[in-house]
Amino acid sequence: MTVQTEVRSAEKGVVLITPPLPGTTNMEIDEALLAGATPDSPVVLRIYRWKEPTLSLGHFQSVEDRDEEPGLSNVALVRRKTGGGAILHDHELTYSLILPARSAAEKGHSEKLYRSVHLAIAKGLQSLGWDAVLSETCTCSTATNPKQEPFLCFSRRSPVDLIVGQYKIVGSAQRRTKLGLLQHGSLLLRSSTLTPNLQGLLDLPNSNQENLEERSRSVGIHQTQDEIEFWTKQLVLWLQSGVSQVVECGWQPAALADFPTLEGMKAC
Amino acid sequence: MSIVPENLRYLDSHEWAHVSTDEPGIATVGISSFAVEQLTDLVFMALPKVGQEVTAGHEFGEVESVKAVSPMYSPVSGTVVGVHEELVNRLDSLNQDPYGNGWIMKVRMSDPSELTKLLDWPTYKHQCENS
């Protein structure tokens, strides 16, 4: 495999932060952004949440497999175009990255993008006092070593997953077409009553709680909504830093209305 | 006769087509060893169905490697007349023999002249070496 090693330069990047939307709309937006990608399109970094707790299945996962998690049987359901395991989108932030392809010859996943993005988030979390590192372990099923993986993404481990202690905090998955690369990822902020065995970042020990509280106060965090804004801003900065290892972008804010391919979704 | 990569025609997205002299209207389709290498560990493949119409340059199936899904694009247009169903449970065949036991589908071509638009081995090899 020849991995793309050079950093693509001088590209336009846009940051799209959308309000909480239904699961189908969230997925349709990402799919439309990938389907509308051209070599001249900007790199898109989108941060979003979900209107209600929603279970997103990995592209090839079976709906019946959610019986493994009885607490999720009545949760809203949607299927991602990206691979990997199921994610309960409750107390978390979701991101998507769309990188237009330079050629149809690019195939498969880009470990460099996974790794650089997760390393940037780990570095950011370390600065806030969490012992965040890459997992460097694997529960992966392969053609030569088939096995049943856990249903939930956050119960699985791949070497580039981001963990704090024994808990996975960030996981990502990709879809690569000849038009471009879509990477989905999730930052788990807090445990959900629907998946009590999983812990979120804010449930886990922080060696510098005082510093975090001071930083939070400095940006005016007093309520849940402020907390979401704080973590959204942090995630944008870390993702931009991670993406810059693969594509050097000049970033600008954007809105759904700026994308002609999302014409039918502007009412959302 | 075993299929050798030098005798195949390729899409730039790494799918190959082979036409045997025994069945001149039928193209056997697969993905190249370079693609298998790029995809790394394969965990799932969605195949087309016999009777399905496929179009050159358009998706005919999907493959999932660890956490990444990639569509597969058909090098020719026509009707699917054979599908390698066993491949789904033996994806390691693609690692071991991508041009033989790793074949994916057979297509009765509606326009055999499309083959001339595909890359020959030297051109494809050059693309892989420079990507």
Side-chain angles (χ1 to χ4, degrees):
Chain A
M1 172 181 177
T2 304
V3 180
Q4 186 182 356
T5 51
E6 77 281 10
V7 177
R8 285 161 48 170
S9 61
E11 296 195 20
K12 185 182 173 191
V14 295
V15 178
L16 178 62
I17 298 173
T18 52
L21 294 168
T24 49
T25 309
N26 271 333
M27 294 299 92
E28 284 171 4
I29 289 172
D30 289 342
E31 290 163 25
L33 290 170
L34 178 63
T38 68
D40 299 326
S41 300
V43 172
V44 181
L45 160 53
R46 179 179 171 228
I47 307 281
Y48 54 102
R49 291 187 296 137
W50 306 65
K51 202 162 192 173
E52 59 182 330
T54 303
L55 184 69
S56 75
L57 296 175
H59 188 59
F60 284 122
Q61 282 190 295
S62 161
V63 176
E64 287 72 35
D65 287 347
R66 75 166 160 176
D67 294 344
E68 286 179 31
E69 298 286 334
L72 300 176
S73 54
N74 294 316
V75 175
L77 190 69
V78 71
R79 188 178 293 283
R80 301 191 308 272
K81 283 287 188 183
T82 47
I87 294 177
L88 176 68
H89 302 276
D90 193 359
H91 302 300
E92 60 87 60
L93 286 174
T94 310
Y95 77 82
S96 59
L97 283 167
I98 295 96
L99 272 64
R102 285 287 182 82
S103 82
E106 296 170 351
K107 206 165 188 81
H109 68 137
S110 167
E111 182 170 345
K112 184 171 184 184
L113 185 63
Y114 281 133
R115 188 171 283 276
S116 58
V117 160
H118 286 191
L119 279 173
I121 298 173
K123 193 175 169 188
L125 290 175
Q126 287 162 11
S127 75
L128 294 178
W130 278 278
D131 184 18
V133 294
L134 299 192
S135 153
E136 304 296 359
T137 58
C138 195
T139 60
C140 317
S141 170
T142 66
T144 51
N145 183 22
K147 55 187 172 186
Q148 188 66 42
E149 284 200 271
F151 173 66
L152 291 171
C153 166
F154 282 91
S155 298
R156 300 180 177 190
R157 295 290 180 277
S158 79
V160 291
D161 286 336
L162 198 160
I163 58 170
V164 173
Q166 62 176 310
Y167 294 101
K168 179 168 163 182
I169 297 302
V170 178
S172 300
Q174 297 177 343
R175 179 181 188 83
R176 173 168 271 177
T177 73
K178 58 186 177 183
L179 299 175
L181 177 73
L182 165 65
Q183 178 166 311
H184 275 144
S186 174
L187 168 62
L188 192 55
L189 288 175
R190 293 185 188 279
S191 181
S192 167
T193 53
L194 300 169
T195 52
N197 293 332
L198 302 178
Q199 298 287 289
L201 178 70
L202 302 175
D203 303 315
L204 296 171
N206 180 300
S207 65
N208 202 353
Q209 189 67 30
E210 212 170 89
N211 177 43
L212 179 66
E213 286 170 3
E214 188 182 320
R215 287 183 69 154
S216 299
R217 276 195 301 275
S218 73
V219 291
I221 291 183
H222 301 294
Q223 296 174 356
T224 305
Q225 189 54 40
D226 295 332
E227 180 180 281
I228 293 297
E229 281 184 31
F230 173 76
W231 287 107
T232 298
K233 286 176 183 171
Q234 295 295 318
L235 194 53
V236 167
L237 291 172
W238 298 335
L239 288 167
Q240 288 174 334
S241 171
V243 170
S244 71
Q245 301 300 308
V246 180
V247 189
E248 192 62 55
C249 292
W251 296 96
Q252 294 180 339
L256 288 174
D258 296 330
F259 296 89
T261 52
L262 303 180
E263 194 70 39
M265 299 177 204
K266 286 177 184 172
C268 295
Chain B
M1 187 182 77
S2 65
I3 301 174
V4 293
E6 289 82 355
N7 293 340
L8 306 178
R9 308 285 289 192
Y10 299 86
L11 273 178
D12 55 4
S13 52
H14 307 287
E15 293 80 5
W16 56 259
H18 174 257
V19 180
S20 158
T21 50
D22 299 337
E23 293 180 295
I26 307 288
T28 302
V29 172
I31 58 177
S32 73
S33 60
F34 181 84
V36 173
E37 206 175 305
Q38 280 201 314
L39 289 163
T40 63
D41 291 318
L42 304 174
V43 293
F44 197 88
M45 181 174 276
L47 298 169
K49 297 191 184 314
V50 170
Q52 183 177 326
E53 297 294 320
V54 293
T55 305
H58 290 234
E59 294 180 25
F60 72 88
E62 293 175 314
V63 62
E64 179 170 9
S65 55
V66 177
K67 302 211 298 182
V69 176
S70 299
M72 298 181 289
Y73 301 96
S74 182
V76 293
S77 303
T79 307
V80 178
V81 294
V83 174
H84 193 178
E85 303 283 358
E86 297 81 15
L87 192 60
V88 171
N89 298 317
R90 298 189 55 189
L91 288 172
D92 54 328
S93 301
L94 279 163
N95 295 90
Q96 294 158 6
D97 190 11
Y99 306 110
N101 284 333
W103 70 275
I104 296 171
M105 67 171 178
K106 293 180 185 289
V107 177
R108 185 179 302 283
M109 292 180 287
S110 57
D111 181 7
S113 71
E114 287 175 339
L115 289 167
T116 62
K117 298 174 188 165
L118 300 173
L119 307 177
D120 60 16
W121 171 248
T123 309
Y124 175 69
K125 187 165 172 262
H126 183 261
Q127 174 194 289
C128 293
E129 288 168 351
N130 291 281
S131 65

